[in-house]
Amino acid sequence: MTATTQARPPAPSPVLAFLKQPLVVALALIVALLLLGEALSPGFASAQQILRLLIVAALLGIVAAGQNLVILGGREGIDLSVGGVISLSAIIAGNVMNGADSGILPAIVACIIAGGLIGLFNGLGVTLLRIPPLVMTLGMLGVLQGLLVVVRNGIPSGLAAPGLSQFVTRPFLLGLPGIIWLWVAIGLLMAFMLTRTVYGHRIYAIGSNEQAAYMAGVPVKAVRISLFMLSGVFAAIAGICLLGYSGSSFANVGEQYMLPSIIAVVFGGTPLAGGKGGYTGTMAGALLLVILQGILTTVHIDESGRQMVFGATLLLLMLFYGRGRAMRG
Amino acid sequence: MSKIELRGVSKAYGATLALRRGDLSIDAGEVHVLIGSNGSGKSTLCKILAGSVRPDGGEILIDGKPVTITGPRSARDHGIGIFYQELSLAGHRTVSENICLSDMPVTRAGFVDRDALEARAARYVALFASVAGDGFSADTTVENLRADQRQLVEIMKALATEAPVIIFDEPTSALDRAQVDRFFEILRDLKAEGRSIIFISHRMDEIFAIGDRVTVIRDGETVGTERIADTNPAAVIRLMVGTQDELAPTNGAPHATAVARTFVLTLQNLSGKGFANVSFEVAKGEILGFGGLHGQGQSSVLRAIFGVNPVASGEIVLGGKTYAASNPREAIRRGLAYVSGDRGRDGVISGRPILENVTPIHYLRQKLRLARPAALADRVRPALEALHTKFGGLGHPINSLSGGNQQKIVIARWLIDRPDVLLLDDPTKGIDLSAKTDLFALIRKLAAEGMGIVLYSSEDAELLNNADRILVFNGGSVRRELTGADRTRYNLYQAAYEAA
C-alpha cells in the first residue's frame, strides 16, 4: 500500500524501448509499405510518386489535426462534419478567388470564418444542448451536403488561383511544395500547443476526467467549443488546399476525407475515448493511410473497395484498443 | 430457535477489515434493529445477508440449518428480501411494474401477465393509499413521483417479495410523520404473521417505537444485543461509543480560543438541495469540523459553497464580502479550495502526468498561458514534499501511484497558490494510515499559518482529534455544536441519532 513500489516498471533494454516506440514502429511500417508498393508496381516509390503521396498526406493530415483535437477532448468527441466543411470551403474559395491571385487572401478569410462558424455551431450543440458529438456533427454534415446541392447543384464551379495551385503542387523550399511546409508548421504548432501551453493541458484534462477538470477550474465548455471551432478551421484550410490541388471543386469533394481523418488519429495512438495521444502520431497515421491508399489503387481496387478496407482498418484498430484496455484493467 | 443466525461472519476489502466478527440472531416475528456508527460494518452485514457480498468467514444459519448465500437470487430463495437505501427503481416504468420488478408474473407463453402484475401491485399500493399523497397511483411513472413517494415504492417492492425475512436499510429517510406511522403499522402486521424484520435507522425515536431488540456493531464487531424494553437511548449510545477515548484530546489548539478572531467564511441560513438553514463562521486559523452520519448534508453544504451545487437561499460572506459562485472556477478565483473524498470522480486526472495533476489551480490563479515544465517543476516539487508524497518523476502518470499518494497530489494542487479557506469533503476516504497522518499534519500546519479550514470526515476519530469545533449534522441541518470539552464521541453520536 505504501507508495512508489509500482511507480516504474523495470526498465527494458534501451534498444528494445526505442524499437517499441510507436513513432519508430510507424516509420518502419511506412518504409515497409513503400517497399511493398515498389514490389507490386515498379515506380511506386519514385521521388515523383512520394512527393505526390506527401501532398495528399498533408491534405489529410491538416483535416486530422482538427479531428485529433476534438477526439482528445473526450466525451465521445468526434467531428463527422469535416467532409462537408472541406467541400464548402473549396467551393467558397473557388468562387471568391475565381482564378485570380488577388482573391486568395479574401478567400482564406471567408473560408476560415465559415469553418469556424460551423465548428461553433457543433460546439454549442454538443455543450449547451448536450447533443452527442456523433449525432450533432452527422446532422451538420447532412445540412452542409444539402446546402451544397442546393447552391451548386453538384456542378463543378470556381477556379483555383495560379498562386494557390503552385503553393500546393510546385516545389517551394528544398524541393518540397508549400503545403508540405504548412503541414510541418502545423505539426510543430500542435506539438507546442499540446505540451507547452495551459490550453493544451486543459484539453487533456477535460478529455481524461471532465468532472475533475471542472472542479479544478477548467472552463470545460469553452474549451470544448473551441476544439470544434479549431476542427472547422482546419477542415476549411484543407478545403482551400484541396482546391489548389484539383484546380476546381465539386459538391462532395471533401467526403472521402472524413473516415480517413478519424483512422489517422486512432492509428496515431489517440484512442477514441480521448485524454491521451498527440498529433505526431496522427501525422504518421496520415502518411501510412495515404500510402496504403496508393497501394490499393495500384492493385486496381476502386474507391468503394478502398472505403471497405478503411472501415475494416478502423474496426481492427478499435479491437486492438479494446484488448489493450482489458489488459490494463 | 432463531429464524436467522450469523456466527462470526467476517469480510475484508483488500487490507481493510470491514467486518471482524458479526454475530446476529433474529427471531421469527420480531423487528430487530441494527445500529452502529459510520463504517462500523452494519451495511456490510446486510449486504452479506442480501447476497451482494460474499463473506470471508463465519456461518449463516437459517431455521437452524447452515446455508451459503451465493448471490441476490440465492438470498431470495432462502427467504430474504431487501429494501435498498440507494434508490433502485426503474424511472421510466410505472409504480406497478417497479413493485413486481424482481419477480414478474408471466403467462404460460412467457409474456408478462399484466392482469396478475396489476392485481399483485394493487395490494401493496392499497396499503399506503391513505398516506401516499397527490399524484400517486399504480400506473404513475416513477420518474414523476416525489422523493417520499419513491421511497414508498421501494418499501412496496420489498414487501412484495413476501419474504419471511425483510431487511430495511434506512427506509424512512424521506418519509413524513404520517407515512412513517403507516409503515410501522404494516411492520407490526408482518410481525403478527411471524415474519422477521431487520431494521436500520438513524432516528433513535423510531428505533424505540418499532424495535423489539437492538444489536450494536462497533468497529466490525457485534458488541451487544439488548431488549428495547430493557434499555434506553443513552445506554445504546454508550454501547456504540465503547470505552475508547471518552473525551477528545484538547490537541493544544490555542488559536481556537484566541481573543481576536477574524472570520474568513460566514454562512447565514444557507439552504439548498440536501441542507437547510445552515449558519456558521470559520475564523482564520481554525479547523471547523462537520460531523454526523453519512449523507446528512455535510457534503452538499461544502459543494454549494464551492459553486458545484446551487444555493436556494441564504448568504455566504467570504473574506468580509458577500459571495456567490455559480461554478468552481469563480470559487477558486475568490480564494476557496475544495478537496473531494471521491478522488476518482472529482480529483484525479487519470492517465496524465503528476505535474499536470498539480498545476491546474496554479494556471488559473496566475492566469498563465504557457506551461514551462522547468518553472512549473520548481513550484510543484515543494508542494509535493510538504505532504511527503512518494513519486518517481513528475512526468509519470498519476495512476502509477497508490491511492494515498494520488490524493496527496490532488491536495498539492492547492498548496502552490494558497487559498484563504480550505473545504475538505471526507478527504481521507480509502487512503492508507500513513497518508492520513501526513495529511492531518499538513492540515494543522496550514491552520497554524492562518488558513480557515472546514473538515467533514466520516471517521469520527479524525474529527475529534483535529477539529477545534464540531457541527453535528442531522437531516440536512446543524443539530448541535460541540466545543472544548464537549467534543466527545458520546455527544457526537447523541446529536447524530437524535430525533429529527
Side-chain angles (χ1 to χ4, degrees), chain A residues 144-189:
Chain A
L144 292 177
Q145 280 171 335
L147 189 75
L148 291 166
V149 169
V150 172
V151 174
R152 284 294 147 202
N153 217 2
I155 302 159
S157 75
L159 201 62
L164 179 66
S165 296
Q166 276 170 25
F167 172 76
V168 177
T169 53
R170 295 273 164 272
F172 162 69
L173 189 70
L174 302 176
L176 298 174
I179 187 173
I180 308 285
W181 295 109
L182 174 68
W183 190 28
V184 171
I186 288 175
L188 291 173
L189 265 175

Side-chain angles (χ1 to χ4, degrees), chain B residues 250-261 284-286 444 447-448 468 487:
Chain B
T250 47
N251 89 39
H255 48 272
T257 51
V259 187
R261 302 214 303 166
K284 221 164 146 40
E286 185 183 33
R444 279 204 290 265
D468 301 315
R487 293 171 301 146

